[in-house]
C-alpha cells in the first residue's frame, strides 16, 4: 500500500504535478471541497477577454525587451487567438482544477504552443494580472454605463420638455406645498443623473492605471517596460507602488459607491412613479410592458419594474458594504480575500446596466395625466405662499403676512373652497384680525393666486417657471452634446 501523505513519498512524488501550477511544493492535493471553495473560475471567466488582452500586451513587452524570443511571441499570439475563438464559440473547457480564469487560459496556451506558453508568466504574478484584468473589465463597464446614462438623460429631457408647463403640486413632507411643473420635477432627476455621470467619469480616471509589472508584490528583476504595457492597454498611467497596485481595490469600491448613488436616485424616482401610479393619486400611467397583473385579483396592474429598481438598490448598497468590509482588515499586500471582490462588482455593474436600459425605455413611455395633477393642486392651498409674498411686496412684514394667509386658509377650509375662489371681500374679512393686511389687498391679488401666476413668477435660474424649465432642458442638451434639440 502506498502512503502518499508521508514526507518520504511526497519528496519524490509531487501529488498532482500535472494539474497545479505550484504542485511541486505540496505533498497532497486539496480536497474536492477546498478546490471548489477556493476556485473562482465559475465567475472570473467573465474576464477572459481582458485576461487575454493583458497577456498579449505583457508578451509583446517581454519580446521587445528581449526577455522572451520573437518566436515565443508569435506562438503566444497564435495560441491566444485560438483560445479567444474557443471561448467565443463556447468550446473552451473551463476546469475547476485550474482554479481561475488566469490558470485556465495559461494551461490551454501551454497545451497549444508548448514552451512559449510556459514563458508567458515571466516577470508577472496572478496578483498583478488579476488587478489588471479587473481594471480593464471595469473600464469597459464604466464606458457602457456612461453611454446608458446619456441615453436615459435624453429620454428624460424629452418628457421634461413636453411638460415644461404642466402644473403639478410640489410636495414637502408629502403635503401639497407649492405649484411646480412636471418638467421641473423631472429635471431634478436630470441634475442627479448628471452628478452620477460625473462620478463614474471621475472614478474611471483612477480605474485606468496599470498594476502589471508589480508582479507578486515587490516588482520584478526583469528589465520590463511598464509604460509600453500601459499604452498598449490604453491606461493613462502606471500604478506607482507595487504593494498598493496588487492589493488595494479602492477603485472597485468607488465604482460601487457611484453605483449605489445612481441606484438611490433611480430608487427615489421609482418610489414616485409607484406613488403617482396608485389609483389614489393617478398622476401617471406606466406602459403595460413594465407592469404585471395579479394571479388572484383581476383588476390589478402593478408597477413591478420600478418596485424592482427600488428593491435592487438594496443589493447594490449591499455590494458596496461587502467590498468595504472585504478591504478593511487586509494587511499589505495581496490576500486571497480579494478574490471575493468580483461577484459584488460584477453584480453591481450588471444591475446598473440593466436598470438604466429599462429606465430609458420606461421613462419615455409614461402617460401623464395632467388633469389629475391640476386637480390635486386645487386641494392643498398651493398658492398660499404667493399670497403672503403679495402682501409683503405691498409693505406688510413677512411674519404678519404669514399670519394673515394662515387665517385665510382656515376660512377657506371652513367654506370648503380654494383660495382663488374667494371674492376680494371674503379675503379681506378673513384677514381682518391682522392689522394692515386687508387694506393691502387689491383686485390684482387674483393674478398671484392662480397656479399659472405662481409658476410664472419663479423665473430665476433654477426656478420652476415654464420658460426656465425650457432653458434648463436646452442647457442640458448642450451639455450632452445634443445641440438645441
Ligand atoms: N483568482 C485570484 C483572485 O481573484 C487570482 C490571484 C491569485 N493570487 C494568489 N496569490 N493566489 O484574486
Amino acid at each position: 500500500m502506498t502512503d502518499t501523505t508521508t514526507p518520504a513519498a511526497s519528496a519524490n512524488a509531487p501529488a498532482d504535478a500535472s494539474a497545479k501550477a505550484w504542485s511541486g511544493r505540496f505533498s497532497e492535493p486539496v480536497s474536492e471541497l477546498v478546490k471548489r471553495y477556493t476556485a473562482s473560475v465559475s465567475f472570473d471567466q467573465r474576464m477572459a477577454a481582458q485576461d487575454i488582452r493583458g497577456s498579449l500586451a505583457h508578451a509583446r513587452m517581454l519580446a521587445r525587451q528581449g526577455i522572451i524570443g520573437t518566436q515565443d511571441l508569435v506562438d503566444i499570439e497564435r495560441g491566444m487567438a485560438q483560445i479567444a475563438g474557443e471561448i467565443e464559440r463556447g468550446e473552451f473547457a473551463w476546469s475547476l482544477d485550474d482554479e481561475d480564469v488566469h490558470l485556465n487560459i495559461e494551461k490551454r496556451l501551454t497545451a497549444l504552443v508548448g514552451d512559449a506558453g510556459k514563458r508567458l508568466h515571466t516577470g508577472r504574478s496572478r496578483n498583478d494580472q488579476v488587478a489588471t484584468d479587473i481594471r480593464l473589465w471595469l473600464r469597459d463597464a464604466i464606458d457602457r454605463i456612461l453611454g446608458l446614462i446619456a441615453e436615459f438623460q435624453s429620454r428624460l429631457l424629452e418628457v421634461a420638455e413636453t411638460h415644461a408647463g404642466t402644473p403639478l403640486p410640489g410636495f414637502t413632507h408629502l403635503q401639497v406645498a407649492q405649484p411646480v411643473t412636471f418638467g421641473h420635477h423631472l429635471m431634478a432627476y436630470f441634475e442627479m443623473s448628471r452628478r452620477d455621470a460625473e462620478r463614474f467619469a471621475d472614478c474611471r480616471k483612477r480605474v485606468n492605471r496599470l498594476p502589471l509589472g508589480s508582479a507578486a508584490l515587490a516588482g520584478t528583476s526583469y528589465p520590463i517596460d511598464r509604460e509600453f504595457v500601459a499604452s498598449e492597454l490604453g491606461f493613462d498611467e502606471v500604478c506607482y507602488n507595487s504593494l498598493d497596485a496588487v492589493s488595494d481595490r479602492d477603485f472597485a469600491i468607488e465604482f460601487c459607491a457611484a453605483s449605489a448613488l445612481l441606484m438611490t436616485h433611480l430608487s427615489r424616482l421609482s418610489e414616485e412613479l409607484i406613488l403617482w401610479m396608485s389609483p389614489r393619486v393617478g398622476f401617471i400611467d406606466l406602459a403595460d410592458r413594465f407592469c404585471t397583473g395579479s394571479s388572484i385579483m383581476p383588476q390589478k396592474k402593478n408597477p413591478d419594474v420600478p418596485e424592482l429598481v427600488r428593491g435592487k438598490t438594496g443589493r447594490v448598497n449591499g455590494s458596496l458594504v461587502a467590498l468595504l468590509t472585504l478591504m478593511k482588515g487586509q494587511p499589505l499586500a495581496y490576500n486571497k480575500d480579494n478574490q471575493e471582490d468580483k461577484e459584488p462588482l460584477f453584480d453591481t455593474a450588471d444591475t446598473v446596466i440593466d436598470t438604466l436600459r429599462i429606465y430609458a425605455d420606461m421613462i419615455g413611455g409614461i402617460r401623464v395625466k395632467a388633469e389629475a395633477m391640476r386637480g390635486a393642486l386645487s386641494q392643498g392651498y398651493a398658492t398660499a405662499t404667493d399670497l403672503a409674498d403679495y402682501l409683503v411686496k405691498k409693505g406688510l412684514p413677512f411674519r404678519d403676512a404669514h399670519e394673515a394667509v394662515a387665517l385665510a386658509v382656515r376660512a377657506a377650509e371652513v367654506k370648503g373652497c380654494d383660495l382663488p375662489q374667494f371674492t376680494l371681500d371674503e379675503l379681506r374679512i378673513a384677514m381682518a384680525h391682522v392689522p394692515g393686511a386687508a387694506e393691502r389687498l387689491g383686485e390684482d391679488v387674483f393674478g398671484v393666486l392662480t397656479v399659472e401666476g405662481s409658476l410664472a413668477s419663479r423665473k430665476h435660474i433654477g426656478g420652476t417657471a415654464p420658460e426656465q424649465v425650457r432653458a434648463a432642458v436646452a442647457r442640458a442638451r448642450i451639455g450632452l452634446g445634443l445641440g438645441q434639440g
Side-chain angles (χ1 to χ4, degrees), residues 292-343:
T292 61
S294 159
S295 52
I296 176 167
M297 297 163 283
Q299 85 284 12
K300 291 296 286 293
K301 180 176 163 185
N302 299 327
D304 285 37
V305 170
E307 284 172 347
L308 271 173
V309 172
R310 197 174 56 184
K312 282 174 190 287
T313 303
R315 72 196 273 165
V316 171
N317 289 351
S319 293
L320 170 62
V321 174
L323 288 196
L324 284 166
T325 312
L326 176 74
M327 206 70 243
K328 73 178 275 290
Q330 287 194 51
L332 290 179
Y334 177 87
N335 303 281
K336 187 78 165 179
D337 312 41
N338 277 343
Q339 183 165 287
E340 287 290 306
D341 63 358
K342 286 166 209 65
E343 287 164 294

Side-chain angles (χ1 to χ4, degrees), residues 28-235:
E28 58 172 351
V30 296
S31 71
E32 279 303 311
L33 177 59
V34 170
K35 195 197 288 181
R36 195 157 44 76
Y37 194 74
T38 55
S40 54
V41 64
S42 62
F43 50 85
D44 68 14
Q45 57 181 267
R46 280 187 72 163
M47 305 192 301
Q50 289 77 15
D51 196 66
I52 292 172
R53 267 180 79 190
S55 285
L56 288 173
H58 179 67
R60 282 182 199 125
M61 183 277 291
L62 292 177
R64 259 169 68 100
Q65 300 297 101
I67 302 167
I68 62 171
T70 38
Q71 188 54 48
D72 289 327
L73 176 60
V74 171
D75 292 346
I76 289 169
E77 286 180 331
R78 174 171 47 83
M80 285 300 197
Q82 171 154 351
I83 291 170
E86 288 173 0
I87 293 173
E88 209 157 287
R89 293 189 298 274
E91 291 165 14
F92 191 90
W94 298 103
S95 161
L96 211 58
D97 286 328
D98 297 312
E99 193 175 305
D100 57 25
V101 61
H102 324 292
L103 293 175
N104 266 267
I105 290 178
E106 192 187 324
K107 187 167 181 198
R108 177 71 183 138
L109 181 70
T110 301
L112 287 171
V113 305
D115 282 354
K118 294 189 202 162
R119 293 201 176 98
L120 172 64
H121 213 51
T122 312
R124 183 177 80 168
S125 153
R126 276 187 300 151
N127 296 354
D128 58 346
Q129 187 178 357
V130 69
T132 303
D133 290 3
I134 303 170
R135 284 169 184 264
L136 286 170
W137 189 90
L138 195 51
R139 189 177 70 188
D140 289 347
I142 291 173
D143 290 343
R144 176 109 200 265
I145 287 170
L146 285 171
L148 289 170
I149 293 176
E151 222 169 288
F152 163 69
Q153 288 175 322
S154 87
R155 295 293 186 87
L156 192 63
L157 290 179
E158 280 165 25
V159 189
E161 187 173 45
T162 306
H163 294 284
T166 305
L168 165 88
F171 295 90
T172 59
H173 313 272
L174 220 49
Q175 308 291 317
V176 171
Q178 293 177 356
V180 295
T181 69
F182 187 57
H184 192 56
H185 195 108
L186 291 183
M187 286 305 284
Y189 287 100
F190 178 86
E191 287 299 315
M192 295 178 224
S193 71
R194 202 155 70 88
R195 294 193 297 277
D196 288 324
E198 282 172 13
R199 266 186 287 272
F200 280 108
D202 201 60
C203 168
R204 189 190 192 280
K205 293 181 206 158
R206 284 174 291 282
V207 169
N208 205 27
R209 295 173 189 169
L210 175 76
L212 213 61
S214 304
L217 76 163
T220 174
S221 59
Y222 296 97
I224 57 170
D225 181 351
R226 297 187 65 203
E227 262 84 21
F228 172 79
V229 179
S231 93
E232 280 281 289
L233 293 174
F235 284 109

Side-chain angles (χ1 to χ4, degrees), residues 251-284:
F251 62 92
I253 295 173
E254 260 190 89
F255 171 82
C256 287
S259 299
L261 279 169
L262 174 136
M263 290 297 294
T264 297
H265 292 151
L266 291 180
S267 182
R268 294 184 68 190
L269 179 52
S270 297
E271 170 65 12
E272 303 220 79
L273 295 179
I274 294 161
L275 201 65
W276 291 341
M277 198 182 133
S278 154
R280 279 300 180 102
V281 178
F283 287 175
I284 62 154

Side-chain angles (χ1 to χ4, degrees), residues 239-252:
C239 299
Y240 288 107
N241 180 287
S242 61
L243 295 160
D244 172 48
V246 292
S247 62
D248 205 2
R249 297 289 185 263
D250 60 355
F251 62 92

